[in-house]
Amino acid sequence: MSTVSKVSVATKRLLLGRPFRSDTLGHTLLPKRIALPVFASDAMSSVAYAPQEIFLVLSVAGISALAFTPWVAIAVAVVMAVVVASYRQNVHAYPSGGGDYEVATVNLGPNAGLTVGSALLVDYVLTVAVSVTSAAENIGSAIPFVEEHKVWFCVGAIMLLAAVNLRGIKESGAVLAIPTYGFIIGVLGMLIWGFTEIYVLGQDIHSETADFGIVPEQDNLTGLALMFLVARSFSSGCAALTGVEAISNGVPAFRKPKSRNAATTLLLLGAFSITLLMGIVLLAEKIGAKYVMNPEQDLIGAPEGYQQKAMIAQLA
């Protein structure tokens, strides 16, 4: 074997890991506890920035419009519950793992299937871009170095995620389990502690932006204009639904009974996503958190050079 071939084989082994025989792949199938972080990490990351997007859009009309945030969050939660219920039916009806592509192909024809598949590819690329950018913003709120080098952080994170996933679904699951469960436990703990301080201990808690005003881009929005603004905030908040379809695409990766385990994992995904979404929005609204497009111009009372923190960072 030539030196070039040896290097090629070594590189492939480093990136992809040890090869397995097709008839011995049973050990790579996922139990629910590992499948959840593998397939739910997408949806969980969406929960980190979807509430922030609701506040961002409504801030266009000033502080008074932020009163709509709980109602917009409830609407998003209802849609998420419907979508999760629909996909639970899909994993039983289409257990081969084709997901939306298979559903569209079987019922509407190959052209519809190709259209759906193409849309999903674009969706996945955008999801990676938005989720990694959101991670940079949240981590940058605590670590100034990341805030100053967001682009390099995002590029490195994408390369790391790609390398982890190339090793195989079970191996990536073992790695993703730690940050995914850590995120769920951390945010749930933060929400429980916050609501306990407010409603049980009776403490008056305010976020760092609670005393800031907002310069509205549009004054006195009423009627149809206000309805469109609320609808836009709802569409932005629906970013929380990103990644819900991932489980229906990966049914074959579950241990038997595959469809039942996939449906249970979907239920857990929906429960965690809705709980975290509603909790973040309600707590943020309660403590007066604000998030605007341009903090230097849109926040009244902010000190000079104020660096706006992500919504979850403000809650923390």
Side-chain angles (χ1 to χ4, degrees), residues 295-314:
E296 293 183 359
Q297 299 178 5
D298 298 340
L299 286 179
I300 302 173
E304 185 177 353
Y306 173 73
Q307 294 293 326
Q308 180 174 245
K309 292 183 180 179
M311 186 62 69
I312 286 185
Q314 291 189 42

Side-chain angles (χ1 to χ4, degrees), residues 30 53 84 144 175 208 241 266 269:
L30 303 177
E53 292 302 308
V84 168
V175 174
E208 64 178 44
L241 276 68
L266 258 170
L269 181 154

Side-chain angles (χ1 to χ4, degrees), residues 8-92:
S8 177
V9 171
T11 303
K12 183 178 179 181
R13 180 66 60 86
L14 178 65
L15 291 175
L16 305 181
R18 184 167 55 89
F20 298 107
R21 287 169 52 92
S22 297
D23 57 359
T24 61
L25 291 178
H27 75 283
T28 65
L29 297 178
L30 303 177
K32 293 189 290 293
R33 66 180 183 278
I34 299 298
L36 181 64
V38 169
F39 295 113
S41 57
D42 194 348
M44 290 295 101
S45 68
S46 303
V47 170
Y49 57 80
Q52 181 172 287
E53 292 302 308
I54 296 175
F55 279 81
L56 178 62
V57 174
L58 290 176
S59 67
V60 170
I63 292 179
S64 60
L66 298 182
F68 290 101
T69 53
W71 301 106
V72 173
I74 290 173
V76 174
V78 170
V79 173
M80 180 176 289
V82 172
V83 171
V84 168
S86 299
Y87 275 117
R88 278 172 55 83
Q89 298 299 317
N90 280 356
V91 298
H92 289 293

Side-chain angles (χ1 to χ4, degrees), residues 131-155:
S131 295
V132 172
T133 302
S134 175
E137 182 180 12
N138 279 280
I139 296 174
S141 296
I143 305 175
F145 179 82
V146 175
E147 173 69 24
E148 296 167 2
H149 302 84
K150 283 184 177 180
V151 174
W152 289 109
F153 173 86
C154 291
V155 172

Side-chain angles (χ1 to χ4, degrees), residues 39-315:
F39 295 113
S41 57
D42 194 348
M44 290 295 101
S45 68
S46 303
V47 170
Y49 57 80
Q52 181 172 287
E53 292 302 308
I54 296 175
F55 279 81
L56 178 62
V57 174
L58 290 176
S59 67
V60 170
I63 292 179
S64 60
L66 298 182
F68 290 101
T69 53
W71 301 106
V72 173
I74 290 173
V76 174
V78 170
V79 173
M80 180 176 289
V82 172
V83 171
V84 168
S86 299
Y87 275 117
R88 278 172 55 83
Q89 298 299 317
N90 280 356
V91 298
H92 289 293
Y94 303 93
S96 61
D100 294 338
Y101 168 78
E102 183 179 8
V103 174
T105 301
V106 171
N107 294 279
L108 301 175
N111 289 335
L114 289 174
T115 302
V116 170
S118 301
L120 285 173
L121 286 175
V122 175
D123 172 57
Y124 291 150
V125 172
L126 294 176
T127 296
V128 171
V130 174
S131 295
V132 172
T133 302
S134 175
E137 182 180 12
N138 279 280
I139 296 174
S141 296
I143 305 175
F145 179 82
V146 175
E147 173 69 24
E148 296 167 2
H149 302 84
K150 283 184 177 180
V151 174
W152 289 109
F153 173 86
C154 291
V155 172
I158 291 172
M159 293 176 64
L160 177 62
L161 287 172
V164 169
N165 281 279
L166 283 173
R167 301 287 295 187
I169 193 167
K170 186 173 183 179
E171 288 76 7
S172 64
V175 174
L176 292 173
I178 297 174
T180 302
Y181 282 124
F183 173 80
I184 294 173
I185 294 171
V187 176
L188 277 177
M190 178 181 67
L191 295 175
I192 292 172
W193 180 255
F195 286 123
T196 299
E197 284 190 307
I198 294 172
Y199 293 107
V200 178
L201 303 180
Q203 297 186 15
D204 189 18
I205 301 174
H206 299 284
S207 74
E208 64 178 44
T209 56
D211 295 329
F212 298 164
I214 297 178
V215 178
E217 295 182 20
Q218 299 291 333
D219 292 321
N220 302 319
L221 285 180
T222 58
L224 193 61
L226 181 61
M227 184 182 71
F228 273 112
L229 182 69
V230 173
R232 182 183 172 191
S233 71
F234 165 74
S235 66
S236 297
C238 281
L241 276 68
T242 303
V244 174
E245 79 285 348
I247 291 177
S248 67
N249 296 332
V251 177
F254 284 82
R255 288 181 179 175
K256 295 180 179 180
K258 295 178 182 291
S259 294
R260 183 188 301 174
N261 288 336
T264 302
T265 306
L266 258 170
L267 183 63
L268 292 173
L269 181 154
F272 281 129
S273 296
I274 291 173
T275 300
L276 295 181
L277 172 72
M278 291 301 306
I280 292 172
V281 171
L282 292 176
L283 184 58
E285 195 266 342
K286 185 67 179 178
I287 66 176
K290 300 176 183 68
Y291 192 87
V292 297
M293 181 66 71
N294 191 338
E296 293 183 359
Q297 299 178 5
D298 298 340
L299 286 179
I300 302 173
E304 185 177 353
Y306 173 73
Q307 294 293 326
Q308 180 174 245
K309 292 183 180 179
M311 186 62 69
I312 286 185
Q314 291 189 42
L315 297 185

